[in-house]
Amino acid sequence: MSQLRVVVWGENVHEKENELVAEIYPKGMHTVIAEGLEERGGDGIEVSTATLQEPEHGLTEERLDATDVLIWWGHRAHGQVDDEVVDRIQKRVLQGMGLIVLHSGHYSKIFKRLMGTTCSITWREAGEKERLWVCNPGHPIAAGIDRYFELPNTEMYGEPFAVPAPEEQVFVSWFEGGEVFRSGCCWRRGNGKIFYFRPGHETYPIFYDDNVRRVIHNAVQWARPQGLWIDSCPNIPVEKAPEKIEEKGPKLHKPGDEGYK
Ligand code: ZN
């Protein structure tokens, strides 16, 4: 199989402005997520990072054209992401690029765009325990995970999670406070595969967790583009149709033509 080119995109704001976050992630969350992938790596995964602060957020047309799977972490600065870059990512997903959205990325412009809903949740920051149950042990994203795994301290996300019904449910979380949440969900948009994975609040060392890293590593392989890089619904004019047919019945007409209704 050809090389899998993964870009980890980080907003990289909390790491610079919050002492606690800077202590946990001195090189930024995106770097730690990338290191987690490289550590498991195996053959054929090529990882790089991009951040909000770079020109075009590090996601030029050229860069995206050379990206198979994009990982997205954002929180405070969703509004600062350029709409042109969002358009570009959406187009690339429809063509077949995989997208992994982490934690507070549920409110990112690109995730809301692709879901078409508010993507709202309920939440509480109390450092409580989260237990992530595997819904389908046969799913490739759950490979190597036991019946469940736990994170000792997390921010809670609860239902309702305002997203379209996932096409596949990989994890469901239970929290110490009693809430539950669909914490690992899959969709397809066009030719692209999308995976949302809940853990990852910036004030906890969650991206160092072995199970979290395993899930992200599984997910990038699951989201690998399949087939051709083409628009899923190309707009092909009639002159390019394989069969030429004589016009029968009323002539093709357009607004302004005589008889157009
Ligand atoms: Zn959070």
Side-chain angles (χ1 to χ4, degrees), residues 75 103 155 157 201-202:
H75 184 190
H103 188 63
E155 176 189 28
Y157 279 9
H201 187 63
E202 65 276 3

Side-chain angles (χ1 to χ4, degrees), residues 165-183:
E167 291 160 32
E168 294 177 300
Q169 190 73 58
V170 186
F171 298 103
V172 64
S173 284
W174 164 90
F175 294 88
E176 215 174 330
E179 285 86 353
V180 293
F181 189 76
R182 289 170 288 169
S183 49

Side-chain angles (χ1 to χ4, degrees), residues 36-45 217 221:
L37 283 170
E38 271 161 358
E39 180 192 277
R40 292 190 179 273
D43 296 333
I45 297 192
H217 185 258
Q221 290 169 90

Side-chain angles (χ1 to χ4, degrees), residues 40-67:
R40 292 190 179 273
D43 296 333
I45 297 192
E46 181 192 305
V47 192
S48 60
T49 62
T51 57
L52 177 74
Q53 296 79 19
E54 293 168 43
E56 300 182 55
H57 314 316
L59 300 174
T60 59
E61 190 114 38
E62 202 180 17
R63 180 92 183 269
L64 282 173
D65 281 349
T67 302

Side-chain angles (χ1 to χ4, degrees), residues 147-164:
R147 288 181 67 211
Y148 63 84
F149 71 94
E150 289 182 348
L151 295 167
N153 303 105
T154 60
E155 176 189 28
M156 184 280 290
Y157 279 9
E159 297 284 343
F161 183 19
V163 285

Side-chain angles (χ1 to χ4, degrees), residues 5-260:
R5 301 160 301 177
V6 180
V7 173
V8 182
W9 190 88
E11 184 182 277
N12 198 29
V13 171
H14 296 269
E15 295 95 320
K16 292 186 165 152
E17 294 179 3
N18 179 314
E19 264 179 45
L20 176 61
V21 180
E23 208 174 287
I24 303 170
Y25 294 108
K27 289 183 285 181
M29 266 178 276
H30 51 285
T31 310
V32 172
I33 295 165
E35 284 170 358
L37 283 170
E38 271 161 358
E39 180 192 277
R40 292 190 179 273
D43 296 333
I45 297 192
E46 181 192 305
V47 192
S48 60
T49 62
T51 57
L52 177 74
Q53 296 79 19
E54 293 168 43
E56 300 182 55
H57 314 316
L59 300 174
T60 59
E61 190 114 38
E62 202 180 17
R63 180 92 183 269
L64 282 173
D65 281 349
T67 302
D68 296 314
V69 179
L70 177 65
I71 298 179
W72 192 273
W73 194 101
H75 184 190
R76 263 183 47 196
H78 292 317
Q80 291 174 35
V81 176
D82 198 325
D83 289 333
E84 213 172 288
V85 174
V86 178
D87 292 346
R88 200 180 282 166
I89 301 168
Q90 180 190 20
K91 184 177 157 214
R92 190 71 180 145
V93 169
L94 297 181
Q95 287 177 337
M97 182 181 76
L99 178 69
I100 315 293
V101 176
L102 300 170
H103 188 63
S104 41
H106 72 94
Y107 263 153
S108 62
K109 285 184 180 179
I110 184 60
F111 188 62
K112 289 196 291 184
R113 168 86 63 88
L114 288 162
M115 293 296 111
T117 55
T118 62
C119 302
S120 59
I121 55 160
T122 61
W123 58 276
R124 172 178 59 238
E125 203 178 333
E128 65 203 276
K129 179 159 82 179
E130 174 178 8
R131 184 176 295 149
L132 291 100
W133 289 93
V134 174
C135 301
N136 175 7
H139 197 283
I141 296 179
I145 303 286
D146 209 348
R147 288 181 67 211
Y148 63 84
F149 71 94
E150 289 182 348
L151 295 167
N153 303 105
T154 60
E155 176 189 28
M156 184 280 290
Y157 279 9
E159 297 284 343
F161 183 19
V163 285
E167 291 160 32
E168 294 177 300
Q169 190 73 58
V170 186
F171 298 103
V172 64
S173 284
W174 164 90
F175 294 88
E176 215 174 330
E179 285 86 353
V180 293
F181 189 76
R182 289 170 288 169
S183 49
C185 306
C186 306
W187 296 269
R188 277 170 196 267
R189 291 292 182 268
N191 286 327
K193 288 172 155 183
I194 302 166
F195 180 60
Y196 173 78
F197 189 44
R198 196 213 81 86
H201 187 63
E202 65 276 3
T203 56
Y204 306 111
I206 282 167
F207 292 119
Y208 295 98
D209 182 89
D210 202 45
N211 286 308
V212 168
R213 287 181 164 209
R214 182 183 292 270
V215 170
I216 296 172
H217 185 258
N218 288 343
V220 294
Q221 290 169 90
W222 169 84
R224 175 190 281 273
Q226 311 280 315
L228 293 169
W229 290 85
I230 54 167
D231 286 334
S232 51
C233 294
N235 186 7
I236 298 173
V238 69
E239 304 83 64
K240 292 194 178 163
E243 302 295 340
K244 302 291 173 219
I245 56 163
E246 292 297 319
E247 280 184 37
K248 297 170 192 163
K251 281 200 182 305
L252 295 171
H253 47 225
K254 55 185 188 302
D257 286 355
E258 196 184 333
Y260 178 81

